[in-house]
Amino acid sequence: MKKISEYLFMWALGGTLYYTFEVFFRGFSHWTMFVLGGICVVFCVWQGMTVKWKDPLWIQILRCTIFVVSSEFITGIIVNKWFKWYVWDYTDQPFQLFGQICVPFAIIFSGLCALSIIGGGFFLYWFYGEEKPDFHVL
């Protein structure tokens, strides 16, 4: 039951923070970004706990960035192409794929992944008594 509480809380926190981030920088967001942001934060925390925070931070960031960008692509195909909700469009960005993902935002997401990994790890340590993260770059 404790794990369910941890993951639900991290999902809600991640969704809220990402939704707020979008509203602050874009002026608007969409409920699907709350859901996706929460899922991505849960993945960032879960992967760290799975390897007991022992993998170098750069590997964790790379793993999470691949997950986030892949999730954004799949979500974009569903919400933007199938449902035609037009939540975002990266066609004007360099190195984009079908307007759903692009390199500049992948770089931004890698920074958000780093914050999610570190912040989520310490949050779970402080508030849920999980193993203390021991981050190292190399």
Side-chain angles (χ1 to χ4, degrees), residues 62-90:
L62 180 63
R63 182 184 302 127
C64 292
T65 301
I66 290 168
F67 178 85
V68 168
V69 172
S70 300
S71 298
E72 181 183 33
F73 183 76
I74 292 166
T75 302
I77 294 299
I78 294 168
V79 303
N80 294 326
K81 302 294 185 184
W82 290 355
F83 292 155
K84 300 192 184 312
W85 290 344
Y86 306 111
V87 178
W88 72 88
D89 181 4
Y90 294 144

Side-chain angles (χ1 to χ4, degrees), residues 17-65:
L17 290 174
Y18 187 73
Y19 188 92
T20 303
F21 177 82
E22 275 208 321
V23 169
F24 184 77
F25 286 101
R26 288 179 62 193
F28 65 95
S29 191
H30 190 263
W31 67 267
T32 55
M33 297 299 91
F34 177 93
V35 173
L36 182 59
I39 290 169
C40 291
V41 168
V42 167
F43 179 82
C44 289
V45 171
W46 172 81
Q47 66 80 39
M49 291 173 65
T50 300
V51 298
K52 301 194 182 307
W53 309 107
K54 299 299 182 204
D55 283 353
L57 190 55
W58 73 269
I59 289 176
Q60 293 185 56
I61 292 169
L62 180 63
R63 182 184 302 127
C64 292
T65 301

Side-chain angles (χ1 to χ4, degrees), residues 2 6 122-132:
K2 178 182 168 196
E6 290 177 14
F122 279 109
F123 184 88
L124 291 178
Y125 168 68
W126 291 325
F127 294 102
Y128 283 94
E130 292 292 343
E131 181 177 344
K132 183 177 183 180

